[in-house]
Amino acid sequence: MNKSWNQADPARVVWLDLLRAFSAFFIVFLHISSHYAEDLLPLGSAAWWTTDFYLALTRCAVPVFVMISGVFFLNPAKEISIQKCFTKYIGHLLTVLLGWALLRTGVLSIALEHTPAPQWGSAYFMSVITYWFLPMMIGLYLLTPVLRALTSTRNKTLLGYFTGLCFVLGLCLPLAQGLQPQLFPQVVSLDTLATLLKIPLPIFCAHFVFGYYAYTYDLKPLTKALIYTGAVISLLLMAAGTYAFYVERGSVFYRYATYGSSVTPMAFLTGAAVFIACKDFLGKIIFAPRAVLWIERFSYCSLGVYMLHLVLVQTAVHMGLFAKLNVWPALTVPLYAVGLFLLCSGLIALLRPIPFLRKYFL
């Protein structure tokens, strides 16, 4: 087993490792909550609303992951050449994506669903799409050399401007584009304008740059208050939007709910609030050496947990395990999430000592 697994690395930032581990847990929590809200609980019941709140609370998981990545990849002090971006980071994510998509296809599509052989290619493509987080991160890594040129200026005004620009055009504009035809049908369609503006601004650039910005600089109290207020409002909007989505599947609130939730300004604001709060509070805590070691271990497993839990959750859904254990969901859903997170972390920890797996798939 690699040395870093048995000995804490003093160069690592403990609160970021802890935040990464919690984000991995939130991803597991989110997908279990989503299954209960969509398939198992009566819409509008007390249990459903509790699960809906869990959904809104955990929407920040992907944005926080991206913000943490921005801290490291956009740090001018860290040497990352274009060649290194491709050979080390993009290459690794490609093998992770293709390998886990193959495993998911084999387990779910072939073994459990008995998909006919002529459809295996389509099933594999759907598995790749299921892991959309990795292609998105590959896109950010492709942009990293350009974004690093921006952060190397250490110009707070320029960084704030760029983050705000990506937030408005990459996140708010698509939302307005989706809502406008039904809320303001008399207004000229935003489709053409939105398409032109979104082309050069990938959605998650705002998260990527914000992570570096918020980590490097201290935000003003007013800025923090606005972000925290926006996060609270966003939680309410996402909860209400999920209800509207399930009442009417074609609802204009689609982007607040299940499948579009991670690419909304609401998810960004809740993620930003979590990131800032962890920096301000967890960043001041001095953890015991043994606690630091365990935090780092869970952090090392986070990518593997993300990849593995989707296979296990969908396997459990296929076998009807959650339906059979549908008792007191307000309590059992978070308990199932904790249990599955620990199971995934334990399995990934067992696989990490194998150099080939660690290098290409974890």
Side-chain angles (χ1 to χ4, degrees):
M1 187 173 290
N2 54 324
K3 180 181 177 181
S4 59
W5 184 258
N6 294 313
Q7 181 177 337
D9 183 355
R12 295 182 69 89
V13 182
V14 180
W15 72 267
L16 285 177
D17 277 328
L18 185 57
L19 183 56
R20 183 185 287 108
F22 269 113
S23 296
F25 166 68
F26 266 25
I27 287 283
V28 178
F29 197 176
L30 184 152
H31 287 128
I32 294 178
S33 300
S34 178
H35 173 57
Y36 271 81
E38 185 168 4
D39 300 318
L40 299 181
L41 300 176
L43 181 66
S45 65
W48 187 93
W49 277 111
T50 303
T51 306
D52 182 36
F53 174 75
Y54 293 156
L55 274 173
L57 189 65
T58 54
R59 297 296 189 195
C60 66
V62 170
V64 168
F65 262 127
V66 180
M67 291 173 188
I68 293 171
S69 296
V71 171
F72 298 104
F73 280 87
L74 300 183
N75 181 3
K78 183 180 177 67
E79 184 178 351
I80 301 179
S81 64
I82 295 177
Q83 180 181 0
K84 190 175 183 179
C85 273
F86 278 88
T87 57
K88 182 176 181 179
Y89 300 113
I90 295 176
H92 177 246
L93 287 191
L94 278 174
T95 57
V96 171
L97 172 62
L98 299 178
W100 281 94
L102 186 63
L103 175 65
R104 181 187 180 278
T105 303
V107 172
L108 297 176
S109 300
I110 299 176
L112 295 180
E113 299 174 1
H114 306 293
T115 302
Q119 299 178 20
W120 288 357
S122 298
Y124 181 72
F125 177 76
M126 289 306 300
S127 292
V128 171
I129 297 300
T130 299
Y131 291 117
W132 65 271
F133 173 76
L134 293 187
M136 178 272 294
M137 289 304 301
I138 289 171
L140 285 177
Y141 289 173
L142 289 171
L143 285 169
T144 291
V146 177
L147 295 177
R148 283 174 58 83
L150 176 68
T151 57
S152 65
T153 65
R154 301 185 185 276
N155 187 317
K156 292 176 62 177
T157 302
L158 185 60
L159 290 170
Y161 170 77
F162 181 80
T163 303
L165 190 65
C166 289
F167 175 77
V168 172
L169 298 184
L171 293 166
C172 295
L173 186 59
L175 181 62
Q177 183 184 0
L179 297 177
Q180 178 261 322
Q182 295 187 50
L183 296 183
F184 305 101
Q186 69 279 10
V187 179
V188 177
S189 174
L190 294 173
D191 284 355
T192 302
L193 175 63
T195 300
L196 291 173
L197 290 175
K198 284 189 293 182
I199 289 174
L201 290 169
I203 291 170
F204 280 96
C205 272
H207 307 69
F208 208 51
V209 177
F210 177 83
Y212 168 77
Y213 183 94
Y215 176 81
T216 306
Y217 305 108
D218 291 325
L219 302 183
K220 295 179 180 179
L222 177 60
T223 302
K224 292 182 181 179
L226 291 174
I227 290 176
Y228 288 140
T229 302
V232 173
I233 295 173
S234 294
L235 287 175
L236 298 176
L237 284 174
M238 286 190 289
T242 303
Y243 179 78
F245 174 75
Y246 286 129
V247 168
E248 180 185 354
R249 295 306 175 107
S251 169
V252 296
F253 292 100
Y254 168 80
R255 292 180 185 274
Y256 291 103
T258 310
Y259 303 106
S261 61
S262 294
V263 293
T264 61
M266 289 75 68
F268 174 92
L269 288 171
T270 53
V274 169
F275 188 93
I276 295 169
C278 287
K279 177 188 176 182
D280 288 346
F281 296 104
L282 295 181
K284 297 177 182 178
I285 298 176
I286 300 176
F287 294 91
R290 189 164 184 80
V292 172
L293 180 60
W294 278 101
I295 290 170
E296 289 184 9
R297 286 174 174 175
F298 278 108
S299 179
Y300 289 141
C301 293
S302 59
L303 178 58
V305 168
Y306 173 79
M307 306 305 290
L308 176 59
H309 93 278
L310 285 174
V311 178
L312 296 185
V313 167
Q314 290 173 311
T315 299
V317 170
H318 180 86
M319 299 173 66
L321 296 182
F322 291 122
K324 295 174 183 176
L325 301 172
N326 187 13
V327 181
W328 295 98
L331 176 63
T332 55
V333 168
L335 289 178
Y336 294 155
V338 171
L340 185 58
F341 170 74
L342 293 177
L343 174 62
C344 290
S345 297
L347 292 173
I348 296 301
L350 291 175
L351 296 175
R352 277 189 62 86
I354 304 173
F356 176 78
L357 295 181
R358 186 171 66 248
K359 180 177 180 180
Y360 292 106
F361 303 112
L362 301 176

